[in-house]
Every structure is written in C-alpha cells, then in structure tokens.
Amino acid sequence: MIAVADSKLERYAEEHRLSGLTAPTLEALATNRTGYSVDKAQRFLAFQRRIDTEMLRHRTITNNRYTAWFSQGEQTFDQVRAFIVQFSVFSNQFLVAQLQKMINADSLEGMRASKEILANEIGVVFNAGRKRSATRDPDHEVDPELVSTEGTVEGGIFHFRAAHFEWLLRIAGELGLGFLDLGGRRHGTPATLHFCDELIRLYGNENYAITQAASYAVENWAAAGFWQELIDGLVRYNARTGSNLPLAFFTWHNRLEAQHAQHTQEELEELYFTRDIDEDDFIRYGNEMLDGVAVFWDGLDEQRRELAKAA
C-alpha cells in the first residue's frame, strides 16, 4: 500500500475506494484532469492486482537463489572475481539497451528521462543543488558513496571517474583484474549475454508499450532487495577474508533504487490514464523481461557451483 501524505487526498481515496493510488494520480482525479475518472481508477486498481499476482511474484523477485547464497559471505576469491566480471558485462552492455530506449522514445519527455539515466551511467553526476567546497577534491566529488542519487544531469558535471563502469573497475583492481578483463561481450557467459540481449530486445524495443512493460519489470526487480543482499555478502566476505573491496558501486545503487519504486509506480499510473494499454501484453512482456533476468542469476548460480567443484 502506498502512503499518501496529503490528508485531503487520503480522504478522497477512502471516499471513492481508491486507496493504493499514488498522490499525483489522486490529485489528477480530484481536479478532474482530462482522461482521469473514478471508474478508470478502479479498473487500474484491478489491473494492479493482476500485476502484483501475475508479474511481481516472479521467482527472480521473490526467490533469487544466487543472491540468497551470496549474502552469506562464504564466497571464494574465484567466485567473487567471476561475479564481478559477469556483473561488469551486464552493467556495460546495459548502456546499449538504455541508448536504444532513448532513441525509441515516443516523446521528448520520455527521451529526456532516458538521457538522464544514460548520462549518469557514463559519468554525469546528478546536480542536486549541493554547495561545492572552495577547495574541491575531484576524487571526493565522484566518490559514489558521496555523490547524489537525486537531482538531474541538467547542469551536472561530467567526470570520467564517475562512470559506473569505473566504479566497478576499482573493485576489479582489488581482485587482480584490469580494464581488458571487464565489460566486453567476449567475457560474458551465454546466460549473461542472453540477459543483455533481452534488455535490448524488450527494454530498448521500438514499441513503446513493450518498453514500458519491460522498464516496469526491471525497476521492480531492482527495488526488490537484491542490491542489499549483494552488499551484505561483500561486507561479510571482506570481514571474513580481511579484504578491502570497495563497495560504493553497490551501496550507491541500493540507495538509488530505494527511491525508484515510488517513481516507477507513478509512471505506470500516468501511462494507464493517458494511453491505451493492453493489460495482457503488459504482463506478458514484463514477465519475459523477468525471465531474462532470471537466466542471468541462474547462470551465476551455475558458475559458482562449478567453481566450488573445481576448488
């Protein structure tokens, strides 16, 4: 259930049996915005129940065997290295899917939203209106533990070291890996490459409806807790082995995704009220995207088992 801070909107929701809608949607309904009606809102809530049951209970959201194992912190050195390599392939190849999503946007607003993500991924720090010190330390400014997870790339500053791939490169360096060991498709397992290709096919699709379904699925997967499980596992690995792997790539994304769930829900509601949605297709393509995610984690799970046998 999504909390609504405005008491008037909360009362409106209760009176019209619309509890569960986000504040922007309730505001649009209360002010009779074109396209918004109580009947359609109730149809949306029924659709949301279908999504919750038929998509968001996907096993990659509710039962990720790999991250559950990883969180225990019992990884070997080789298992951690293998994980970082495959994650770097996904992270780097995601840029292709995000570029496709930007190119295939069907509105200027949608294109800008995709540009925000792409620009931040490659090193434009979000401009959150923070005051800068008179004696700036460039490394301090791009430390992922310190850079903002809010704001906009509009007016933001580009730093090579703020690229997410370079954050991963810092971890890789502690594991004896270099630039040429990461990111490229040649380093991906078949499972990882399948996931990357599904991101391009679905998340970056030319059909806006497919893109939105895949995007909703990806955001809900990302907000479901796997980042915290990875952090927990790496913290325990560092403590157990005396290692000092920098975890800021993971902690930054964990902070970011905690904010995305609400925005993602608001976007879905706006989509429903302003466009025609085929509900069956939305759920089908969302599940196809989550199937691709599951293949990635299954591949990592199989790889870690093979490494354990070889040890």
Side-chain angles (χ1 to χ4, degrees):
M1 185 68 68
I2 295 174
V4 178
D6 189 310
S7 59
K8 291 183 179 179
L9 292 181
E10 190 172 356
R11 286 197 299 273
Y12 179 88
E14 291 174 355
E15 289 171 4
H16 294 85
R17 294 181 299 162
L18 298 177
S19 296
L21 293 175
T22 63
T25 298
L26 291 171
E27 179 70 30
L29 287 163
T31 55
N32 297 311
R33 188 178 304 168
T34 302
Y36 287 75
S37 69
V38 171
D39 285 345
K40 192 164 188 179
Q42 290 173 344
R43 291 198 300 273
F44 172 79
L45 289 173
F47 177 43
Q48 183 67 61
R49 288 191 290 272
R50 283 194 64 197
I51 291 173
D52 293 345
T53 301
E54 299 175 34
M55 185 196 302
L56 299 186
R57 292 183 185 175
H58 194 285
R59 67 182 179 88
T60 202
I61 292 176
T62 63
N63 184 29
N64 189 325
R65 292 175 303 179
Y66 180 80
T67 54
W69 164 80
F70 195 95
S71 69
Q72 298 170 21
E74 296 299 321
Q75 308 91 322
T76 66
F77 179 81
D78 287 341
Q79 286 171 329
V80 174
R81 274 173 56 107
F83 162 71
I84 292 298
V85 170
Q86 295 310 307
F87 212 90
S88 77
V89 175
F90 149 54
S91 181
N92 223 21
Q93 297 302 312
F94 173 74
L95 298 176
V96 179
Q98 189 62 45
L99 178 61
Q100 287 285 91
K101 189 171 188 284
M102 183 196 79
I103 291 171
N104 292 326
D106 71 345
S107 68
L108 179 60
E109 182 182 30
M111 176 174 276
R112 286 180 173 178
S114 290
K115 280 183 180 178
E116 287 270 1
I117 296 172
L118 183 60
N120 180 252
E121 286 276 344
I122 64 175
V124 181
V125 177
F126 286 134
N127 177 14
R130 294 182 296 114
K131 293 182 179 179
R132 298 179 183 275
S133 168
T135 56
R136 295 185 299 178
D137 176 353
D139 287 319
H140 177 91
E141 284 192 0
V142 298
D143 183 344
E145 288 282 20
L146 302 172
V147 297
S148 178
T149 56
E150 299 179 309
T152 174
V153 296
E154 180 96 21
I157 298 176
F158 170 81
H159 299 271
F160 285 113
R161 291 184 300 275
H164 296 191
F165 180 78
E166 294 203 23
W167 294 350
L168 271 176
L169 192 58
R170 296 180 200 176
I171 306 173
E174 296 293 325
L175 296 166
L177 297 165
F179 180 83
L180 294 179
D181 300 313
L182 302 179
R185 287 184 65 91
R186 65 188 178 278
H187 301 306
T189 64
T192 296
L193 295 181
H194 174 81
F195 174 40
C196 294
D197 291 341
E198 286 294 86
L199 279 168
I200 294 169
R201 180 178 75 88
L202 297 165
Y203 183 86
N205 199 281
E206 291 184 5
N207 184 321
Y208 186 80
I210 295 175
T211 295
Q212 289 304 103
S215 181
Y216 184 83
V218 165
E219 290 295 349
N220 276 277
W221 157 61
F226 84 83
W227 288 106
Q228 188 61 54
E229 288 184 302
L230 296 178
I231 293 165
D232 291 345
L234 290 170
V235 166
R236 288 168 178 153
Y237 174 84
N238 277 344
R240 179 173 61 82
T241 63
S243 302
N244 190 31
L245 298 180
L247 308 185
F249 172 89
F250 297 98
T251 56
W252 185 89
H253 280 89
N254 194 41
R255 286 188 287 128
L256 179 72
E257 296 304 339
Q259 302 165 19
H260 271 192
Q262 179 81 7
H263 297 157
T264 299
Q265 189 60 34
E266 291 172 2
E267 289 170 1
L268 173 63
E269 292 178 15
E270 182 181 8
L271 181 72
Y272 190 88
F273 283 95
T274 59
R275 299 172 186 266
D276 293 326
I277 290 183
D278 185 314
E279 297 184 9
D280 292 335
D281 278 355
F282 188 92
I283 291 172
R284 176 163 68 89
Y285 288 119
N287 276 318
E288 284 186 17
M289 187 69 262
L290 293 174
D291 288 343
V293 176
V295 169
F296 173 65
W297 292 120
D298 289 347
L300 282 169
D301 200 45
E302 181 179 351
Q303 185 183 56
R304 67 98 174 174
R305 293 176 188 277
E306 290 175 353
L307 288 169
K309 290 178 182 177

